[in-house]
PDB file of all heavy atoms in Angstrom:
ATOM      1  N   ILE A   1      86.398  97.035-152.620  1.00  0.00           N
ATOM      2  CA  ILE A   1      87.414  95.999-152.861  1.00  0.00           C
ATOM      3  C   ILE A   1      88.817  96.610-153.063  1.00  0.00           C
ATOM      4  O   ILE A   1      89.726  95.969-153.551  1.00  0.00           O
ATOM      5  CB  ILE A   1      87.073  95.093-154.083  1.00  0.00           C
ATOM      6  CG1 ILE A   1      86.544  95.912-155.267  1.00  0.00           C
ATOM      7  CG2 ILE A   1      85.994  94.132-153.677  1.00  0.00           C
ATOM      8  CD1 ILE A   1      87.595  96.492-156.139  1.00  0.00           C
ATOM      9  N   GLU A   2      88.974  97.851-152.575  1.00  0.00           N
ATOM     10  CA  GLU A   2      90.299  98.514-152.716  1.00  0.00           C
ATOM     11  C   GLU A   2      91.233  98.047-151.570  1.00  0.00           C
ATOM     12  O   GLU A   2      90.922  98.222-150.411  1.00  0.00           O
ATOM     13  CB  GLU A   2      90.084 100.034-152.611  1.00  0.00           C
ATOM     14  CG  GLU A   2      91.390 100.821-152.798  1.00  0.00           C
ATOM     15  CD  GLU A   2      91.175 102.315-152.674  1.00  0.00           C
ATOM     16  OE1 GLU A   2      89.992 102.775-152.700  1.00  0.00           O
ATOM     17  OE2 GLU A   2      92.171 103.072-152.593  1.00  0.00           O
ATOM     18  N   ALA A   3      92.314  97.468-151.962  1.00  0.00           N
ATOM     19  CA  ALA A   3      93.333  97.017-151.000  1.00  0.00           C
ATOM     20  C   ALA A   3      94.365  98.088-150.886  1.00  0.00           C
ATOM     21  O   ALA A   3      95.408  98.078-151.564  1.00  0.00           O
ATOM     22  CB  ALA A   3      93.918  95.702-151.483  1.00  0.00           C
ATOM     23  N   VAL A   4      94.105  99.042-149.998  1.00  0.00           N
ATOM     24  CA  VAL A   4      94.912 100.278-149.893  1.00  0.00           C
ATOM     25  C   VAL A   4      96.368  99.916-149.511  1.00  0.00           C
ATOM     26  O   VAL A   4      96.636  99.234-148.533  1.00  0.00           O
ATOM     27  CB  VAL A   4      94.317 101.226-148.826  1.00  0.00           C
ATOM     28  CG1 VAL A   4      95.203 102.454-148.709  1.00  0.00           C
ATOM     29  CG2 VAL A   4      92.939 101.638-149.201  1.00  0.00           C
ATOM     30  N   GLY A   5      97.296 100.402-150.359  1.00  0.00           N
ATOM     31  CA  GLY A   5      98.709 100.213-150.107  1.00  0.00           C
ATOM     32  C   GLY A   5      99.229  98.820-150.227  1.00  0.00           C
ATOM     33  O   GLY A   5     100.357  98.526-149.817  1.00  0.00           O
ATOM     34  N   SER A   6      98.467  97.922-150.821  1.00  0.00           N
ATOM     35  CA  SER A   6      98.871  96.521-150.916  1.00  0.00           C
ATOM     36  C   SER A   6      99.929  96.273-151.977  1.00  0.00           C
ATOM     37  O   SER A   6     100.708  95.318-151.874  1.00  0.00           O
ATOM     38  CB  SER A   6      97.647  95.629-151.261  1.00  0.00           C
ATOM     39  OG  SER A   6      97.140  95.977-152.533  1.00  0.00           O
ATOM     40  N   GLY A   7      99.957  97.121-152.981  1.00  0.00           N
ATOM     41  CA  GLY A   7     100.894  96.915-154.095  1.00  0.00           C
ATOM     42  C   GLY A   7     100.430  95.884-155.110  1.00  0.00           C
ATOM     43  O   GLY A   7     101.185  95.593-156.052  1.00  0.00           O
ATOM     44  N   TYR A   8      99.236  95.363-154.916  1.00  0.00           N
ATOM     45  CA  TYR A   8      98.749  94.363-155.940  1.00  0.00           C
ATOM     46  C   TYR A   8      98.642  95.060-157.282  1.00  0.00           C
ATOM     47  O   TYR A   8      98.299  96.263-157.392  1.00  0.00           O
ATOM     48  CB  TYR A   8      97.372  93.828-155.538  1.00  0.00           C
ATOM     49  CG  TYR A   8      97.373  93.051-154.242  1.00  0.00           C
ATOM     50  CD1 TYR A   8      96.357  93.227-153.314  1.00  0.00           C
ATOM     51  CD2 TYR A   8      98.357  92.129-153.949  1.00  0.00           C
ATOM     52  CE1 TYR A   8      96.345  92.542-152.105  1.00  0.00           C
ATOM     53  CE2 TYR A   8      98.337  91.411-152.768  1.00  0.00           C
ATOM     54  CZ  TYR A   8      97.355  91.625-151.861  1.00  0.00           C
ATOM     55  OH  TYR A   8      97.334  90.919-150.666  1.00  0.00           O
ATOM     56  N   GLU A   9      98.838  94.305-158.338  1.00  0.00           N
ATOM     57  CA  GLU A   9      98.792  94.801-159.692  1.00  0.00           C
ATOM     58  C   GLU A   9      97.777  94.009-160.483  1.00  0.00           C
ATOM     59  O   GLU A   9      97.421  92.893-160.148  1.00  0.00           O
ATOM     60  CB  GLU A   9     100.187  94.734-160.333  1.00  0.00           C
ATOM     61  CG  GLU A   9     101.215  95.562-159.658  1.00  0.00           C
ATOM     62  CD  GLU A   9     102.610  95.405-160.294  1.00  0.00           C
ATOM     63  OE1 GLU A   9     102.727  94.552-161.185  1.00  0.00           O
ATOM     64  OE2 GLU A   9     103.554  96.112-159.848  1.00  0.00           O
ATOM     65  N   GLY A  10      97.344  94.635-161.615  1.00  0.00           N
ATOM     66  CA  GLY A  10      96.458  93.922-162.499  1.00  0.00           C
ATOM     67  C   GLY A  10      97.163  92.804-163.243  1.00  0.00           C
ATOM     68  O   GLY A  10      98.341  92.878-163.530  1.00  0.00           O
ATOM     69  N   VAL A  11      96.439  91.710-163.508  1.00  0.00           N
ATOM     70  CA  VAL A  11      96.960  90.573-164.229  1.00  0.00           C
ATOM     71  C   VAL A  11      96.111  90.410-165.490  1.00  0.00           C
ATOM     72  O   VAL A  11      94.904  90.206-165.364  1.00  0.00           O
ATOM     73  CB  VAL A  11      96.940  89.284-163.403  1.00  0.00           C
ATOM     74  CG1 VAL A  11      97.430  88.083-164.206  1.00  0.00           C
ATOM     75  CG2 VAL A  11      97.764  89.466-162.148  1.00  0.00           C
ATOM     76  N   GLY A  12      96.726  90.505-166.647  1.00  0.00           N
ATOM     77  CA  GLY A  12      95.988  90.403-167.920  1.00  0.00           C
ATOM     78  C   GLY A  12      95.423  91.749-168.352  1.00  0.00           C
ATOM     79  O   GLY A  12      94.664  91.813-169.332  1.00  0.00           O
ATOM     80  N   SER A  13      95.718  92.805-167.598  1.00  0.00           N
ATOM     81  CA  SER A  13      95.121  94.123-167.841  1.00  0.00           C
ATOM     82  C   SER A  13      96.123  95.037-168.536  1.00  0.00           C
ATOM     83  O   SER A  13      97.271  94.690-168.796  1.00  0.00           O
ATOM     84  CB  SER A  13      94.719  94.741-166.498  1.00  0.00           C
ATOM     85  OG  SER A  13      95.880  94.942-165.683  1.00  0.00           O
ATOM     86  N   ARG A  14      95.652  96.289-168.792  1.00  0.00           N
ATOM     87  CA  ARG A  14      96.542  97.323-169.271  1.00  0.00           C
ATOM     88  C   ARG A  14      97.619  97.626-168.172  1.00  0.00           C
ATOM     89  O   ARG A  14      97.322  97.495-166.989  1.00  0.00           O
ATOM     90  CB  ARG A  14      95.786  98.613-169.552  1.00  0.00           C
ATOM     91  CG  ARG A  14      94.725  98.509-170.634  1.00  0.00           C
ATOM     92  CD  ARG A  14      93.775  99.677-170.549  1.00  0.00           C
ATOM     93  NE  ARG A  14      93.068  99.705-169.278  1.00  0.00           N
ATOM     94  CZ  ARG A  14      92.713 100.787-168.618  1.00  0.00           C
ATOM     95  NH1 ARG A  14      93.001 101.981-169.081  1.00  0.00           N
ATOM     96  NH2 ARG A  14      92.031 100.694-167.481  1.00  0.00           N
ATOM     97  N   PRO A  15      98.803  98.070-168.600  1.00  0.00           N
ATOM     98  CA  PRO A  15      99.859  98.357-167.608  1.00  0.00           C
ATOM     99  C   PRO A  15      99.427  99.447-166.582  1.00  0.00           C
ATOM    100  O   PRO A  15      99.814  99.387-165.427  1.00  0.00           O
ATOM    101  CB  PRO A  15     101.021  98.874-168.472  1.00  0.00           C
ATOM    102  CG  PRO A  15     100.779  98.250-169.816  1.00  0.00           C
ATOM    103  CD  PRO A  15      99.288  98.195-169.961  1.00  0.00           C
ATOM    104  N   GLU A  16      98.602 100.400-167.002  1.00  0.00           N
ATOM    105  CA  GLU A  16      98.206 101.499-166.106  1.00  0.00           C
ATOM    106  C   GLU A  16      97.027 101.142-165.220  1.00  0.00           C
ATOM    107  O   GLU A  16      96.611 101.974-164.409  1.00  0.00           O
ATOM    108  CB  GLU A  16      97.890 102.747-166.924  1.00  0.00           C
ATOM    109  CG  GLU A  16      96.690 102.604-167.862  1.00  0.00           C
ATOM    110  CD  GLU A  16      97.092 102.110-169.265  1.00  0.00           C
ATOM    111  OE1 GLU A  16      98.112 101.427-169.362  1.00  0.00           O
ATOM    112  OE2 GLU A  16      96.329 102.424-170.210  1.00  0.00           O
ATOM    113  N   TYR A  17      96.537  99.947-165.345  1.00  0.00           N
ATOM    114  CA  TYR A  17      95.349  99.548-164.536  1.00  0.00           C
ATOM    115  C   TYR A  17      95.739  99.470-163.070  1.00  0.00           C
ATOM    116  O   TYR A  17      96.770  98.928-162.696  1.00  0.00           O
ATOM    117  CB  TYR A  17      94.866  98.174-165.024  1.00  0.00           C
ATOM    118  CG  TYR A  17      93.687  97.631-164.234  1.00  0.00           C
ATOM    119  CD1 TYR A  17      92.407  98.050-164.590  1.00  0.00           C
ATOM    120  CD2 TYR A  17      93.843  96.656-163.270  1.00  0.00           C
ATOM    121  CE1 TYR A  17      91.296  97.548-163.859  1.00  0.00           C
ATOM    122  CE2 TYR A  17      92.764  96.158-162.591  1.00  0.00           C
ATOM    123  CZ  TYR A  17      91.510  96.629-162.888  1.00  0.00           C
ATOM    124  OH  TYR A  17      90.393  96.143-162.211  1.00  0.00           O
ATOM    125  N   ASN A  18      94.857 100.018-162.210  1.00  0.00           N
ATOM    126  CA  ASN A  18      95.062  99.916-160.776  1.00  0.00           C
ATOM    127  C   ASN A  18      94.622  98.585-160.278  1.00  0.00           C
ATOM    128  O   ASN A  18      93.416  98.324-160.121  1.00  0.00           O
ATOM    129  CB  ASN A  18      94.313 101.053-160.073  1.00  0.00           C
ATOM    130  CG  ASN A  18      94.499 101.048-158.559  1.00  0.00           C
ATOM    131  OD1 ASN A  18      95.269 100.216-158.007  1.00  0.00           O
ATOM    132  ND2 ASN A  18      93.821 101.929-157.849  1.00  0.00           N
ATOM    133  N   GLY A  19      95.557  97.716-159.958  1.00  0.00           N
ATOM    134  CA  GLY A  19      95.218  96.352-159.550  1.00  0.00           C
ATOM    135  C   GLY A  19      95.130  96.127-158.059  1.00  0.00           C
ATOM    136  O   GLY A  19      95.074  94.973-157.599  1.00  0.00           O
ATOM    137  N   GLU A  20      95.116  97.225-157.267  1.00  0.00           N
ATOM    138  CA  GLU A  20      95.028  97.064-155.816  1.00  0.00           C
ATOM    139  C   GLU A  20      93.600  96.635-155.420  1.00  0.00           C
ATOM    140  O   GLU A  20      92.853  97.429-154.811  1.00  0.00           O
ATOM    141  CB  GLU A  20      95.462  98.333-155.082  1.00  0.00           C
ATOM    142  CG  GLU A  20      96.968  98.580-155.165  1.00  0.00           C
ATOM    143  CD  GLU A  20      97.412  99.603-154.151  1.00  0.00           C
ATOM    144  OE1 GLU A  20      96.649 100.569-153.888  1.00  0.00           O
ATOM    145  OE2 GLU A  20      98.535  99.451-153.593  1.00  0.00           O
ATOM    146  N   LYS A  21      93.250  95.431-155.728  1.00  0.00           N
ATOM    147  CA  LYS A  21      91.898  94.917-155.514  1.00  0.00           C
ATOM    148  C   LYS A  21      91.944  93.539-154.871  1.00  0.00           C
ATOM    149  O   LYS A  21      92.710  92.663-155.327  1.00  0.00           O
ATOM    150  CB  LYS A  21      91.124  94.836-156.829  1.00  0.00           C
ATOM    151  CG  LYS A  21      91.013  96.164-157.585  1.00  0.00           C
ATOM    152  CD  LYS A  21      90.301  96.039-158.925  1.00  0.00           C
ATOM    153  CE  LYS A  21      90.358  97.322-159.729  1.00  0.00           C
ATOM    154  NZ  LYS A  21      89.711  98.460-159.070  1.00  0.00           N
ATOM    155  N   SER A  22      91.184  93.364-153.812  1.00  0.00           N
ATOM    156  CA  SER A  22      91.102  92.082-153.133  1.00  0.00           C
ATOM    157  C   SER A  22      89.880  92.111-152.198  1.00  0.00           C
ATOM    158  O   SER A  22      89.248  93.167-152.018  1.00  0.00           O
ATOM    159  CB  SER A  22      92.401  91.842-152.313  1.00  0.00           C
ATOM    160  OG  SER A  22      92.318  92.498-151.037  1.00  0.00           O
ATOM    161  N   PRO A  23      89.572  90.993-151.532  1.00  0.00           N
ATOM    162  CA  PRO A  23      88.450  90.966-150.556  1.00  0.00           C
ATOM    163  C   PRO A  23      88.853  91.369-149.146  1.00  0.00           C
ATOM    164  O   PRO A  23      88.112  91.139-148.212  1.00  0.00           O
ATOM    165  CB  PRO A  23      88.000  89.528-150.642  1.00  0.00           C
ATOM    166  CG  PRO A  23      89.266  88.753-150.902  1.00  0.00           C
ATOM    167  CD  PRO A  23      90.089  89.647-151.802  1.00  0.00           C
ATOM    168  N   ILE A  24      89.993  91.990-148.977  1.00  0.00           N
ATOM    169  CA  ILE A  24      90.579  92.202-147.659  1.00  0.00           C
ATOM    170  C   ILE A  24      89.684  93.042-146.743  1.00  0.00           C
ATOM    171  O   ILE A  24      89.732  92.885-145.520  1.00  0.00           O
ATOM    172  CB  ILE A  24      91.991  92.853-147.810  1.00  0.00           C
ATOM    173  CG1 ILE A  24      92.754  92.819-146.453  1.00  0.00           C
ATOM    174  CG2 ILE A  24      91.855  94.297-148.309  1.00  0.00           C
ATOM    175  CD1 ILE A  24      93.116  91.457-146.015  1.00  0.00           C
ATOM    176  N   ASN A  25      88.880  93.913-147.308  1.00  0.00           N
ATOM    177  CA  ASN A  25      88.004  94.759-146.453  1.00  0.00           C
ATOM    178  C   ASN A  25      86.808  93.980-145.865  1.00  0.00           C
ATOM    179  O   ASN A  25      86.163  94.473-144.951  1.00  0.00           O
ATOM    180  CB  ASN A  25      87.453  95.928-147.243  1.00  0.00           C
ATOM    181  CG  ASN A  25      88.558  96.873-147.694  1.00  0.00           C
ATOM    182  OD1 ASN A  25      89.488  97.143-146.933  1.00  0.00           O
ATOM    183  ND2 ASN A  25      88.489  97.349-148.939  1.00  0.00           N
ATOM    184  N   MET A  26      86.537  92.794-146.375  1.00  0.00           N
ATOM    185  CA  MET A  26      85.499  91.923-145.824  1.00  0.00           C
ATOM    186  C   MET A  26      86.086  91.166-144.639  1.00  0.00           C
ATOM    187  O   MET A  26      87.035  90.397-144.743  1.00  0.00           O
ATOM    188  CB  MET A  26      84.987  90.971-146.902  1.00  0.00           C
ATOM    189  CG  MET A  26      83.846  90.079-146.423  1.00  0.00           C
ATOM    190  SD  MET A  26      82.960  89.277-147.791  1.00  0.00           S
ATOM    191  CE  MET A  26      84.306  88.355-148.609  1.00  0.00           C
ATOM    192  N   LEU A  27      85.511  91.414-143.441  1.00  0.00           N
ATOM    193  CA  LEU A  27      86.154  90.981-142.200  1.00  0.00           C
ATOM    194  C   LEU A  27      85.821  89.549-141.827  1.00  0.00           C
ATOM    195  O   LEU A  27      86.448  89.009-140.908  1.00  0.00           O
ATOM    196  CB  LEU A  27      85.677  91.901-141.075  1.00  0.00           C
ATOM    197  CG  LEU A  27      85.997  93.379-141.263  1.00  0.00           C
ATOM    198  CD1 LEU A  27      85.419  94.203-140.132  1.00  0.00           C
ATOM    199  CD2 LEU A  27      87.498  93.614-141.417  1.00  0.00           C
ATOM    200  N   THR A  28      84.904  88.894-142.498  1.00  0.00           N
ATOM    201  CA  THR A  28      84.453  87.543-142.128  1.00  0.00           C
ATOM    202  C   THR A  28      84.814  86.536-143.276  1.00  0.00           C
ATOM    203  O   THR A  28      85.120  86.967-144.408  1.00  0.00           O
ATOM    204  CB  THR A  28      82.957  87.519-141.877  1.00  0.00           C
ATOM    205  OG1 THR A  28      82.278  87.914-143.059  1.00  0.00           O
ATOM    206  CG2 THR A  28      82.562  88.442-140.746  1.00  0.00           C
ATOM    207  N   THR A  29      84.655  85.302-142.957  1.00  0.00           N
ATOM    208  CA  THR A  29      84.808  84.274-143.981  1.00  0.00           C
ATOM    209  C   THR A  29      83.503  84.094-144.766  1.00  0.00           C
ATOM    210  O   THR A  29      82.451  84.620-144.371  1.00  0.00           O
ATOM    211  CB  THR A  29      85.180  82.889-143.362  1.00  0.00           C
ATOM    212  OG1 THR A  29      84.103  82.477-142.504  1.00  0.00           O
ATOM    213  CG2 THR A  29      86.480  82.979-142.574  1.00  0.00           C
TER     214      THR A  29
END
């Protein structure tokens, strides 16, 4: 679930949390 280079940030998390997370690597609906 790593969204490489997306710039997404954590919401509700610690400031240092790596929030580059999304379903973008899943190619289908």
